């Protein structure tokens, strides 16, 4: 798959960005479509994002407890 033909990309890539993606894919020995898929999946399962989500949930729980304790 050529980067130019990637219909699912939400933003167009400049020629320089396309060249950068092609070079990165070539350095891994993967076709561009496989390289892009792997990069997207890796970003989606980023442990930092999981940690942020856990932090948000912790803050929400603690805020709920604080409001309940205040009402007593």
């Amino acid at each position: 798959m050529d980067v130019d033909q990637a219909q699912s990309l939400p933003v167009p890539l400049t020629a320089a960005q396309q060249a950068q993606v092609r070079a990165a894919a070539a350095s891994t020995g993967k076709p561009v479509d496989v390289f892009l898929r792997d990069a997207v999946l890796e970003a989606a399962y980023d442990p930092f994002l999981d940690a942020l989500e856990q932090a948000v949930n912790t803050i929400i729980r603690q805020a709920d407890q604080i409001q309940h304790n205040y009402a007593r």
Side-chain angles (χ1 to χ4, degrees), residues 49-64:
L49 293 177
D50 289 339
L52 284 175
E53 191 172 308
Q54 289 176 1
V56 167
N57 291 336
T58 299
I59 290 169
I60 290 170
R61 269 194 321 274
Q62 289 179 350
D64 189 45

Side-chain angles (χ1 to χ4, degrees), residues 18-40:
Q18 290 179 21
Q20 190 174 12
V21 169
R22 284 190 193 100
S27 72
T28 64
K30 298 178 182 179
V32 172
D33 58 339
V34 173
F35 176 78
L36 289 173
R37 183 201 64 218
D38 290 351
V40 168

